Amino acid sequence: MTENTQQPKHSVPELPTQYTPADVEGPLYERWVERGYFEADEKSEKPPYTIVIPPPNVTGSLHLGHAFEHTLIDALTRRKRMQGYETLWQPGMDHAGIATQNVVERELAKEGASRHDLGREAFVERVWQWKDESGGQISGQMRRLGDGVAWSRERFTMDEGLSKAVQTIFKRLYDDELIYRAERIINWCPRCLTAISDIEVEYQDDDGELVSIRYGEGDASIVVATTRAETMLGDTAVAVHPDDERYAHLVGTEIELPLTGRTIPVVADEHVDPEFGTGAVKVTPAHDPNDFEIGRRHGLTNLAVLDERGVITAHGPFQGLDRFEARSAIVGALRAEGRIVAEKRPYTHSVGHCSRCKTTIEPRLSMQWWVKVGPLAKAAGDAVRDGKVAIHPKEMESRYFGWVDNLHDWCISRQLWWGHRIPVWYGPNGEVVCVGPDDEAPTGEGWHQDTDVLDTWFSSGLWPFSTLGWPEQTPSVAKFYPNSVLVTGYDILFFWVARMMMFGLYAMDGTPPFHTIALHGMVRDQFGKKMSKSFGNAVNPLDWMDAYGSDAVRFTLARGANPGVDVPIGEDWVQGSRNFANKIWNATRFALMNGATVEGELPPADQLSATDRWILSRLNSVVAEVDAYYDDYQFAKLSDTLFHFAWDEVFDWYVELSKTTFMAGGPAADASRRVLGEVLDVTLRLLHPVVPFVTETLWTTLTGGESVVIAEWPKDSGFRDAAAEREIETVQQVVTEVRRFRSDQGLQPGQKVPARLDLTGTALAPHEAAMRSLLRLTPTGEDFTATASLPVAGATVALDLSGAIDVEAERKRLTKDLAAAEKELAQTTAKLGNEAFLAKAPEQVKEKIRTRKAAAEADIERITAQVAALPTA
């Protein structure tokens, strides 16, 4: 049997008649926080269990994706706490460089000012003021959800300790020649006015134009095709493949570049695909990453013709035009000169956009700071290949390797004012000094600090150890690093997970930041569509919490959480979870009113009824199943298991089967009350990590214990009783079949019917009273005459329906239904036998007809049986 750890003598208070989440959740959460249940002690001798919160942006609020992820993390940590671990769920927020700067700049714009009006120092001060006043509302929403985080340890990526960590690792990487400054092509956002990384670019198919332009004249001409005609002003070559005989006579010569008065060379480069288009490409090294590499190989000039806002800077009639205005104007000018050979519009192609402001990205040559990721990425890949880190589900490994094995150097500088400023100073004579946290910055005339800040992902990549006090070797680092598991969405596998892997292995002497990466999918609407304000299907989880309670939202999200798979969710599912919370409440209330108790030891098995032994056997099986699912991050399966066990087996079967025992009284009733108390105690503890509020209220009422948050996690005692399980399964089979028959005959659920039960040769005799109660079957007199007889599982249930239904009316209704089913069968059979129809009809139409035919056959079989079971005159 399952060990009972709470055996106090206490009077059971009466629960309210209904559960009202709004009256319970807020006060309960504050009580948990005040009692320090969620805090973590690095001096504890308990084994550690550490999870970090994926730090939400300080600009953000709790959306359904947050609620989903937090529910899973909270369930894991609550269970581990109950299992005796020193659990740390590390909270905090990200400073979100670009997003936060944009928010504050918009606020300034309302005042008719810009950041440049304030100056850098005053602007940064203004951002801190905004952060203190308006940022971080998500922490209050996390409390609404029930997040069991260690609030005293809350961190912010711009706080003093984390800033020191950022400066420390920058200095180490710089000294190890893994950080460098170089002019490269980067992704530039003309709206945010900063570089952004590859993973911050969102690609979408846009309608543009593809124009083919003739460079040069006569035999010394080449046609190139482009979607960005405005960049031709910065062309410094045309490239062809070395083996392309069509252009062999032009390689090494120069041809005229239209509209510019310049000539440019024709170069041979293996990067060019001779089969694509005309086999010739324009080369614009300052505005295309591939062209930049061609330019490096051939010593071409880098000629920038667009400024930071995407405005043409080249001399001539197009100077000052926006890039899109210039595109149209340049094509018009080329057309006027007869240089346009072909035009295709609309021409749909993939175009990069800034993930934050959705502006079209501009490849731009720029001096930036870079991380040389080669050795770091290799270590991150090897850690998974060598088994130091497990990715769950395993099929996600290929996505991870596809990224880290092909990672380009990481552009880490951003042209912003809000963020970690790059700790590099430049001197008047070209000196470059990288300053660590314990170093004195150089002073004197002509010295100045780099104006750029670091990519937000640079600081968040340190999160698993910077939050613990690194670079100091704190007791928290010693106790809680590495993290036990990282729970996050597959969508930031590249943004965040790979960064943490690289930095953790580098900074912590080869120790990865976590043992397991558990990836989940995205929350979608009930039709599987991405949630978005623009689609009109976005949901504020607080609205659902207000309407149905936080437990209902949590349980719905957990029940949909299959590893690595997107989660569809609709409001009706939350309503269903609310009904489940009410069911738990009402069933526990009934149990307490009928004397369910946790006091005293469980009676030995030989003093328990088969019903009691069955539910205890099933209880221990469920404990084992739930543990296995937790260890495999199968939240949907563990939630579904608990739902069906609690609702179906405990509340709908065990409680109902036990009612007659309670009414009879005596030792058997006392034993069942103790068993019911045990089952509720364990079930509530199993449910607690996912639905913490309702289970806390019910468990403390049932047991008198201090809090289920710190109660012991249930253990599988190993008790199984296969014979009792078979016996109760037979009872369930008989009851289910008779209920189905009653429903088929049109009987109301509460309508009583005289019946005789022949249980000879079965083990069902001890359950006759319970079965009669469940089936509303009354005893029969000597003059009883059966009008219907049901053989089920070796038993026979004979019923007298003569006074229960209008036999003739029922026979007419069934005859009409039978005729309709036979007509449907005839029609579908004829269609499926028609060769012309089968030859022309789409497969989905044929499959629909087959389904209709099968349904008609099943209806005929069912209705025929119902007619046969009707009483005879």
Side-chain angles (χ1 to χ4, degrees):
M1 260 40 105
T2 305
E3 179 184 357
N4 175 60
T5 59
Q6 299 289 339
Q7 300 177 8
K9 296 286 183 182
H10 69 285
S11 59
V12 178
E14 185 175 343
L15 288 168
T17 55
Q18 65 181 25
Y19 177 53
T20 308
D23 295 341
V24 171
E25 293 175 351
L28 264 189
Y29 188 83
E30 291 309 313
R31 190 183 314 155
W32 291 334
V33 173
E34 288 168 7
R35 292 179 178 178
Y37 292 153
F38 306 141
E39 296 302 323
D41 182 6
E42 61 262 19
K43 298 177 182 177
S44 169
E45 294 184 359
K46 297 177 182 178
Y49 186 79
T50 315
I51 295 181
V52 293
I53 188 174
N57 288 352
V58 69
T59 59
S61 60
L62 190 75
H63 57 63
L64 208 54
H66 286 129
F68 171 57
E69 186 168 75
H70 290 201
T71 294
L72 306 187
I73 298 174
D74 196 41
L76 290 173
T77 52
R78 284 179 182 270
R79 172 178 176 253
K80 284 297 182 180
R81 186 180 295 113
M82 296 172 75
Q83 287 182 316
Y85 286 79
E86 191 63 32
T87 60
L88 168 59
W89 183 8
Q90 174 66 54
M93 286 179 289
D94 192 284
H95 66 279
I98 296 177
T100 304
Q101 179 157 319
N102 283 346
V103 168
V104 178
E105 286 198 80
R106 284 196 293 270
E107 293 296 316
L108 285 174
K110 294 176 184 177
E111 303 168 14
S114 73
R115 62 179 165 124
H116 299 286
D117 295 327
L118 271 67
R120 182 168 192 149
E121 192 172 316
F123 176 76
V124 170
E125 186 178 332
R126 177 70 177 261
V127 180
W128 276 108
Q129 179 185 342
W130 175 88
K131 186 260 180 187
D132 292 338
E133 293 175 356
S134 307
Q137 62 174 309
I138 199 168
S139 62
Q141 297 165 339
M142 287 167 60
R143 293 170 183 264
R144 283 288 312 276
L145 188 64
D147 286 2
V149 299
W151 286 113
S152 69
R153 292 171 173 264
E154 188 174 12
R155 304 303 296 268
F156 179 55
T157 51
M158 287 280 286
D159 69 27
E160 184 178 352
L162 271 67
S163 295
K164 181 177 182 180
V166 168
Q167 198 172 352
T168 298
I169 201 163
F170 187 99
K171 171 70 170 171
R172 290 189 187 180
L173 290 163
Y174 182 87
D175 290 345
D176 287 344
E177 298 183 348
L178 292 172
I179 281 184
Y180 63 94
R181 190 169 185 246
E183 193 174 43
R184 298 279 189 275
I185 292 286
I186 47 87
N187 302 300
W188 181 265
C189 176
R191 160 61 183 80
C192 297
L193 297 180
T194 181
I196 63 174
S197 66
D198 291 344
I199 52 180
E200 293 170 301
V201 178
E202 293 179 346
Y203 287 91
Q204 67 184 46
D205 288 339
D206 287 356
D207 285 341
E209 60 180 355
L210 179 68
V211 294
S212 297
I213 309 167
R214 178 171 52 82
Y215 289 11
E217 299 292 344
D219 292 338
S221 66
I222 293 181
V223 175
V224 298
T226 182
T227 58
R228 303 175 67 227
E230 69 279 8
T231 64
M232 68 161 291
L233 301 177
D235 287 359
T236 56
V238 171
V240 298
H241 193 274
D243 299 331
D244 194 335
E245 295 181 358
R246 291 173 296 176
Y247 305 113
H249 66 291
L250 292 176
V251 173
T253 68
E254 298 220 345
I255 61 173
E256 178 190 355
L257 178 64
L259 305 181
T260 66
R262 292 191 289 118
T263 60
I264 56 176
V266 178
V267 299
D269 195 280
E270 291 189 352
H271 170 76
V272 179
D273 180 2
E275 302 299 322
F276 183 77
T278 63
V281 296
K282 59 191 288 296
V283 181
T284 320
H287 295 284
D288 183 275
N290 294 321
D291 292 4
F292 177 76
E293 295 302 324
I294 293 175
R296 290 177 65 180
R297 287 193 288 271
H298 296 277
L300 302 177
T301 301
N302 299 321
L303 181 60
V305 295
L306 289 166
D307 70 7
E308 61 182 7
R309 297 183 182 276
V311 173
I312 296 292
T313 60
H315 294 295
F318 312 108
Q319 186 175 6
L321 293 180
D322 172 80
R323 53 185 168 157
F324 299 118
E325 294 173 335
R327 182 177 301 173
S328 177
I330 288 170
V331 170
L334 290 167
R335 189 184 299 113
E337 289 191 4
R339 295 281 180 178
I340 301 296
V341 176
E343 296 181 69
K344 182 177 181 181
R345 63 168 68 88
Y347 177 74
T348 303
H349 61 132
S350 182
V351 178
H353 295 260
C354 175
S355 61
R356 289 174 177 82
C357 71
K358 312 308 177 187
T359 300
T360 300
I361 289 301
E362 191 64 44
R364 185 167 186 253
L365 186 63
S366 179
M367 184 67 75
Q368 301 284 344
W369 285 94
W370 304 81
V371 172
K372 188 184 296 181
V373 300
L376 302 175
K378 182 180 185 305
D382 290 346
V384 175
R385 289 188 173 93
D386 297 344
K388 289 182 181 178
V389 178
I391 293 180
H392 188 89
K394 191 172 178 62
E395 53 265 27
M396 286 286 180
E397 281 186 2
S398 60
R399 296 184 66 170
Y400 176 78
F401 292 137
W403 180 256
V404 297
D405 292 348
N406 299 284
L407 203 55
H408 300 297
D409 283 1
W410 172 19
C411 177
I412 56 171
S413 46
R414 299 291 180 268
Q415 290 64 56
L416 305 171
W417 287 357
W418 172 246
H420 295 282
R421 196 160 171 184
I422 287 176
V424 172
W425 270 253
Y426 305 105
N429 299 311
E431 301 95 334
V432 179
V433 177
C434 181
V435 176
D438 300 320
D439 300 333
E440 289 289 334
T443 57
E445 187 176 350
W447 284 92
H448 64 280
Q449 187 177 358
D450 196 300
T451 57
D452 289 351
V453 300
L454 287 163
D455 178 10
T456 295
W457 297 103
F458 191 95
S459 53
S460 59
L462 312 179
W463 193 248
F465 50 93
S466 63
T467 51
L468 300 174
W470 187 91
E472 307 302 327
Q473 294 305 307
T474 64
S476 288
V477 171
K479 178 72 175 180
F480 296 113
Y481 187 89
N483 291 188
S484 305
V485 60
L486 173 74
V487 178
T488 192
Y490 63 69
D491 60 321
I492 57 172
L493 182 61
F494 319 129
F495 282 88
W496 190 43
V497 179
R499 311 296 194 212
M500 288 189 289
M501 286 286 283
M502 291 191 296
F503 281 168
L505 290 160
Y506 173 78
M508 306 301 285
D509 299 320
T511 302
F514 20 73
H515 298 301
T516 301
I517 302 167
L519 298 171
H520 58 71
M522 303 296 100
V523 177
R524 297 182 177 272
D525 71 11
Q526 59 189 325
F527 305 109
K529 190 175 183 179
K530 180 180 178 180
M531 285 192 174
S532 168
K533 290 181 180 179
S534 61
F535 294 156
N537 63 351
V539 172
N540 182 348
L542 295 179
D543 293 341
W544 282 354
M545 289 184 213
D546 290 341
Y548 308 111
S550 297
D551 283 333
V553 174
R554 289 171 61 115
F555 193 72
T556 304
L557 291 166
R559 205 173 176 195
N562 290 296
V565 178
D566 288 348
V567 183
I569 183 172
E571 187 169 2
D572 54 338
W573 303 340
V574 185
Q575 292 173 351
S577 294
R578 187 268 316 273
N579 295 342
F580 179 53
N582 289 341
K583 183 77 170 182
I584 301 170
W585 182 273
N586 293 333
T588 304
R589 185 170 177 272
F590 167 84
L592 291 170
M593 290 171 60
N594 282 273
T597 180
V598 297
E599 296 176 356
E601 295 294 327
L602 278 171
D606 60 3
Q607 294 180 21
L608 296 175
S609 68
T611 305
D612 291 336
R613 296 196 308 277
W614 160 71
I615 198 63
L616 289 173
S617 180
R618 287 291 305 127
L619 178 68
N620 279 285
S621 294
V622 167
V623 170
E625 289 173 31
V626 168
D627 274 334
Y629 287 140
Y630 261 116
D631 292 341
D632 198 33
Y633 305 99
Q634 298 278 1
F635 296 97
K637 290 182 178 179
L638 71 89
S639 300
D640 213 47
T641 296
L642 287 170
F643 174 87
H644 288 294
F645 175 70
W647 191 308
D648 300 343
E649 297 185 78
V650 178
F651 304 147
D652 280 358
W653 283 108
Y654 180 71
V655 168
E656 293 299 322
L657 287 170
S658 299
K659 282 182 178 178
T660 53
T661 304
F662 293 152
M663 292 175 62
D670 291 339
S672 290
R673 291 187 180 99
R674 179 63 188 88
V675 169
L676 179 54
E678 177 77 5
V679 171
L680 287 175
D681 170 21
V682 173
T683 302
L684 291 171
R685 281 187 277 155
L686 289 173
L687 281 165
H688 172 72
V690 181
V691 285
F693 294 108
V694 67
T695 52
E696 171 81 341
T697 304
L698 295 176
W699 187 86
T700 52
T701 302
L702 171 69
T703 68
E706 179 185 340
S707 173
V708 71
V709 176
I710 55 172
E712 183 180 350
W713 181 253
K715 295 183 177 69
D716 173 15
S717 70
F719 175 76
R720 301 290 190 277
D721 193 324
E725 290 194 34
R726 286 193 299 271
E727 188 171 319
I728 301 305
E729 284 170 6
T730 304
V731 172
Q732 293 171 328
Q733 185 180 354
V734 172
V735 170
T736 299
E737 287 300 317
V738 176
R739 279 176 172 168
R740 183 179 294 120
F741 176 77
R742 287 176 54 108
S743 176
D744 289 343
Q745 300 305 319
L747 296 177
Q748 296 301 312
Q751 190 173 350
K752 294 182 178 181
V753 177
R756 178 177 294 143
L757 275 63
D758 181 1
L759 307 178
T760 306
T762 72
L764 300 177
H767 307 286
E768 180 171 354
M771 292 164 65
R772 283 185 174 277
S773 175
L774 289 168
L775 292 169
R776 304 295 189 268
L777 302 180
T778 60
T780 58
E782 293 182 1
D783 58 346
F784 171 79
T785 302
T787 58
S789 185
L790 296 177
V792 186
T796 301
V797 180
L799 304 98
D800 178 7
L801 302 179
S802 57
I805 60 173
D806 184 334
V807 177
E808 285 310 310
E810 186 65 11
R811 194 184 303 279
K812 277 186 179 181
R813 183 184 71 81
L814 291 174
T815 301
K816 183 178 178 181
D817 290 348
L818 182 60
E822 289 172 338
K823 181 179 179 181
E824 172 75 353
L825 178 61
Q827 289 176 341
T828 53
T829 301
K831 276 196 173 183
L832 293 173
N834 185 328
E835 295 297 332
F837 168 78
L838 294 177
K840 295 179 181 179
E843 182 56 37
Q844 62 266 31
V845 173
K846 290 185 282 188
E847 184 58 33
K848 188 175 181 180
I849 300 297
R850 294 188 196 103
T851 302
R852 285 172 50 194
K853 180 175 182 287
E857 291 171 338
D859 286 344
I860 290 170
E861 183 178 354
R862 174 180 56 82
I863 297 168
T864 301
Q866 288 177 237
V867 171
L870 285 173
T872 55

